[in-house]
C-alpha cells in the first residue's frame, strides 16, 4: 500500500449499501498515515452511523450544513469553504447516481455536494450503484461530463450487486481507491504554482461563406488535457479553444475562438504575461482569400468552384521575438520522416520543445483518448513514450517544460 503521510483526505460518503465499505476505506487511509475527515449525506447516515466514521477517523463527522461542528473553529457560513480548503483531495465513495447527477449540474444542497462545488482540489469519484442505474445513459453522460471537467472517475467493476443481479456498479476495491488517490496526489504536487500557462487547443474554422468553413479533425483533447494537468499542478491556466465539443476543465479560464486569426489575436493579447505557451491547436494553414457575404450558390452544369486560399499567419513564429521570456512548446503532426520534420519545425519556429504526434494506423490520434508522443527539446533531448492517456501524456510534457523554467 502506498504511504499518504500527512495528506489531508476528505471522504464524502453518499447513500448506498456500499457506504459500509467507506469505513474500510477510511481505515486504510488512516493506516497509510493520512489525516482523514468524513462528511456524509443524510441518506448515507441511514446506512451507517456517523459515529463509526468519527471513531475510525478520530475526527468529528460533518453531516449537515446547518450545524457547526463542535470541535471546528469555523462558523456556519464558512464551514464548507474551510473544509474544502483543508483537503488535499476529496474522495466521494460511494458516489451515488443522485450525487453524480447533482455534481454534474452544480447542485449543492448537502455537505458533500457543497464542498465538492467549493473545492479547487482533485475530486475522486468512486461510483457504486445497481447496474441498471450505472449503465443508464443519463448516469454515463453525467460521468463523461464530470471526467471532461477533470473529476477523477474510477470505473465501477462488475460482479455481484446488492440487488442480487450481476453487472457493473460495484464500489472499486478499497486498495484500488487508495492506489488511485495516491497516484493523483503524486501528480498534484503543485509544482507549477504561480506559473501562468497559455494553452491553445482544437481546430480552427476558416469561413468560406456564412454557412461553410474549412476545418480539420482535431478534437482538442490533447490541449484540454494539458490545461487540466497544469491547473492541477497549481498553474494559472488560460485555454484558448477553437470550436470543440469539450467541457472546460476545472480551475481553467477558457477563451473560445473560431478562426486562425481570432486565435492569433487571443494569443497575442495573453502571451506577454505567460511563463509557458503551449500551442497544441491544429491551426488552419490556409484560409479563403474571400469570405463571401452570402451563401455561394451552385452554378448549373456542374462547373467546378475555385476556392483561392491564403496561408494564415504562423502564431508560433509571431512569438519568436528577442524579448520572449516564455517557454514555448509546439506540436507537430507528421505522417512521414517524422523525427526529421519535427526537428526542422523546432528550429524554424525557435521552440523550446516540440511534441511529435505520428499519425498512422497504429496511432489514430484524432479524437482518441490515448496518444503516443515523442518529445524533442532544443538541447537535442528526444524521448518517445509508450501509449499513454492524453492526461498522462500531458503530465510528461509538463515534466519536460519544468526543466526549462
Ligand atoms: N501553428 C501556429 N500557427 C499556424 C499554424 C500552426 O502556431 N498558423 C503551430 C501549431 O499550433 C503547432 C505547430 O505550429 O504547434 C505545428 O503546426 P503544423 O501545422 O504541423 O506545422 P506547419 O509549420 O504548418 O507545417 P506543415 O503543415 O507543412 O507540416
Amino acid at each position: 500500500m502506498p504511504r499518504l503521510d500527512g495528506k489531508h483526505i476528505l471522504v464524502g460518503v453518499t447513500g448506498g449499501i456500499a457506504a459500509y465499505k467507506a469505513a474500510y476505506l477510511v481505515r486504510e487511509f488512516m493506516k497509510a498515515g493520512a489525516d482523514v475527515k468524513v462528511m456524509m449525506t443524510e441518506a448515507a447516515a441511514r446506512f451507517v452511523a456517523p459515529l463509526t466514521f468519527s471513531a475510525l477517523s478520530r475526527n468529528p463527522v460533518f453531516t449537515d450544513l446547518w450545524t457547526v461542528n463542535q470541535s471546528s473553529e469555523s462558523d456556519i457560513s464558512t464551514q464548507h469553504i474551510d473544509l474544502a480548503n483543508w483537503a488535499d483531495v476529496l474522495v466521494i465513495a460511494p458516489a451515488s447516481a443522485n450525487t453524480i447527477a447533482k455534481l454534474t449540474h452544480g447542485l449543492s444542497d448537502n455537505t458533500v455536494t457543497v464542498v465538492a462545488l467549493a473545492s479547487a482540489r482533485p475530486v475522486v469519484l468512486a461510483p457504486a450503484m445497481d447496474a441498471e442505474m450505472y449503465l443508464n445513459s443519463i448516469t454515463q453522460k453525467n460521468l463523461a461530463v464530470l471526467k471532461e471537467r477533470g473529476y477523477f472517475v474510477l470505473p465501477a467493476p462488475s460482479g455481484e450487486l446488492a440487488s442480487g443481479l450481476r453487472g457493473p456498479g460495484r464500489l472499486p476495491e478499497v486498495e484500488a481507491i487508495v492506489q488511485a488517490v495516491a497516484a493523483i496526489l503524486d501528480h498534484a504536487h503543485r509544482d507549477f504554482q504561480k506559473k501562468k500557462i497559455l494553452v491553445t487547443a482544437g481546430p480552427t474554422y476558416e469561413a468560406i461563406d456564412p454557412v461553410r468553413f474549412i476545418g480539420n479533425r482535431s478534437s482538442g483533447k490533447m490541449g484540454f488535457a494539458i490545461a487540466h494537468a497544469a491547473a492541477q499542478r497549481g498553474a494559472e491556466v488560460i485555454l484558448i479553444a477553437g470550436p470543440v465539443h469539450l467541457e472546460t476543465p476545472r480551475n481553467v479560464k477558457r477563451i473560445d475562438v473560431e478562426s486562425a486569426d481570432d486565435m492569433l489575436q487571443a494569443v497575442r493579447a495573453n502571451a506577454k504575461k505567460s511563463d509557458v505557451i503551449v500551442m497544441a491547436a491544429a491551426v488552419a494553414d490556409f484560409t479563403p482569400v474571400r469570405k463571401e457575404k452570402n451563401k455561394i450558390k451552385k452554378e448549373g452544369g456542374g462547373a467546378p468552384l475555385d476556392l483561392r486560399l491564403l496561408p494564415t499567419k504562423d502564431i508560433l513564429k509571431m512569438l519568436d521575438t528577442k524579448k520572449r521570456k516564455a517557454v514555448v512548446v509546439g506540436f507537430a503532426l507528421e505522417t512521414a520522416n517524422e523525427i526529421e520534420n519535427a526537428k526542422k519545425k523546432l528550429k524554424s519556429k525557435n521552440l523550446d520543445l516540440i511534441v511529435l504526434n505520428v499519425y498512422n494506423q497504429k496511432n489514430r490520434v484524432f479524437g482518441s483518448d490515448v496518444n503516443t508522443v515523442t518529445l524533442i527539446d532544443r538541447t537535442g533531448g528526444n524521448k518517445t513514450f509508450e501509449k499513454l492517456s492524453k492526461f498522462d501524456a500531458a503530465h510528461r510534457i509538463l515534466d519536460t517544460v519544468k526543466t526549462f523554467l
Side-chain angles (χ1 to χ4, degrees):
M1 274 293 193
R3 294 300 304 171
L4 293 163
D5 296 287
K7 297 289 182 201
H8 289 184
I9 301 183
L10 184 57
V11 178
V13 186
T14 73
I17 309 279
Y20 79 90
K21 294 186 185 169
Y24 293 93
L25 180 64
V26 168
R27 198 179 60 179
E28 285 307 317
F29 283 144
M30 295 290 292
K31 272 201 219 160
D35 281 347
V36 183
K37 288 188 183 178
V38 177
M39 31 181 204
M40 303 177 80
T41 61
E42 215 179 294
R46 289 181 182 241
F47 286 95
V48 183
L51 186 60
T52 305
F53 287 102
S54 63
L56 287 169
S57 67
R58 295 185 211 117
N59 265 318
V61 172
F62 297 80
T63 48
D64 80 279
L65 290 170
W66 310 113
T67 318
V68 178
N69 223 301
Q70 281 150 8
S71 63
S72 154
E73 283 162 16
S74 317
D75 72 31
I76 203 157
S77 56
T78 59
Q79 180 168 260
H80 57 297
I81 306 291
D82 296 340
L83 255 183
N85 290 339
W86 173 85
D88 294 315
V89 61
L90 166 57
V91 183
I92 304 185
S96 67
N98 185 37
T99 295
I100 289 164
K102 286 181 186 175
L103 295 175
T104 308
H105 297 286
L107 296 182
S108 46
D109 59 350
N110 62 42
T111 318
V112 176
T113 50
V114 80
V115 171
L117 194 64
S119 167
R121 300 292 152 74
V123 178
V124 184
L125 303 179
M129 63 200 76
D130 203 50
E132 297 295 338
M133 293 167 80
Y134 183 66
L135 294 174
N136 190 309
S137 61
I138 299 176
T139 305
Q140 287 300 315
K141 171 77 192 170
N142 289 342
L143 288 172
V145 168
L146 290 171
K147 258 193 211 171
E148 274 185 24
R149 292 198 188 129
Y151 288 75
F152 295 92
V153 179
L154 307 181
S158 278
E160 199 173 325
L161 301 165
S163 61
L165 297 173
R166 293 186 71 80
R170 284 172 65 85
L171 187 78
E173 293 302 325
V174 166
E175 290 75 25
I177 301 176
V178 175
Q179 298 279 3
V181 168
I184 289 160
L185 283 172
D186 215 32
H187 275 329
H189 34 56
R190 304 186 80 71
D191 51 351
F192 277 81
Q193 202 139 29
K194 298 216 170 86
K195 295 291 173 211
K196 294 190 165 70
I197 302 196
L198 180 66
V199 184
T200 66
T204 64
Y205 284 179
E206 308 303 315
I208 297 170
D209 66 18
V211 182
R212 306 176 179 97
F213 60 84
I214 300 173
N216 63 63
R217 293 185 196 279
S218 167
S219 67
K221 284 183 180 171
M222 191 65 236
F224 274 59
I226 293 171
H228 172 203
Q232 200 195 37
R233 287 166 76 155
E236 250 177 70
V237 186
I238 295 181
L239 172 62
I240 300 175
V244 293
H245 304 281
L246 293 173
E247 299 286 334
T248 311
R250 304 168 68 222
N251 311 318
V252 165
K253 184 180 162 199
R254 171 171 174 172
I255 301 170
D256 285 309
V257 298
E258 189 174 283
S259 67
D261 194 50
D262 297 341
M263 190 170 275
L264 174 84
Q265 304 308 335
V267 171
R268 191 173 264 160
N270 290 286
K272 266 206 196 113
K273 43 184 190 255
S274 304
D275 301 298
V276 180
I277 299 173
V278 183
M279 280 293 303
V283 187
D285 288 323
F286 295 96
T287 191
V289 172
R290 277 172 62 87
K291 292 167 190 19
E292 298 296 338
K293 264 214 189 89
N294 296 314
K295 191 178 162 201
I296 300 171
K297 289 290 186 193
K298 298 190 276 292
E299 298 295 337
L305 171 73
D306 285 328
L307 259 186
R308 279 177 59 76
L309 303 176
L310 259 179
T312 56
K313 289 204 185 92
D314 195 296
I315 302 173
L316 279 174
K317 285 204 173 136
M318 182 260 309
L319 295 172
D320 181 17
T321 63
K322 285 215 175 77
K323 279 190 285 178
R324 172 181 113 188
K325 66 165 177 51
V327 173
V328 177
V329 183
F331 273 67
L333 177 74
E334 304 291 344
T335 54
N337 294 332
E338 298 92 0
I339 301 269
E340 200 182 312
N341 283 339
K343 279 187 173 162
K344 268 192 209 153
K345 258 175 218 176
L346 177 87
K347 260 214 152 125
S348 70
K349 302 196 184 201
N350 192 19
L351 305 174
D352 297 295
L353 177 70
I354 193 154
V355 183
L356 166 64
N357 285 305
V358 175
Y359 181 76
N360 58 29
Q361 294 293 343
K362 275 206 214 135
N363 197 39
R364 293 172 171 277
V365 40
F366 294 120
S368 169
D369 290 322
V370 291
N371 199 2
T372 310
V373 295
T374 300
L375 306 187
I376 305 170
D377 68 50
R378 64 169 142 87
T379 64
N382 174 337
K383 205 170 190 185
T384 301
F385 293 93
E386 81 271 30
K387 197 168 260 195
L388 294 173
S389 73
K390 286 185 173 171
F391 184 63
D392 287 334
H395 277 296
R396 299 290 81 78
I397 294 167
L398 291 173
D399 291 344
T400 309
V401 165
K402 205 167 83 176
T403 64
F404 288 103
L405 277 171

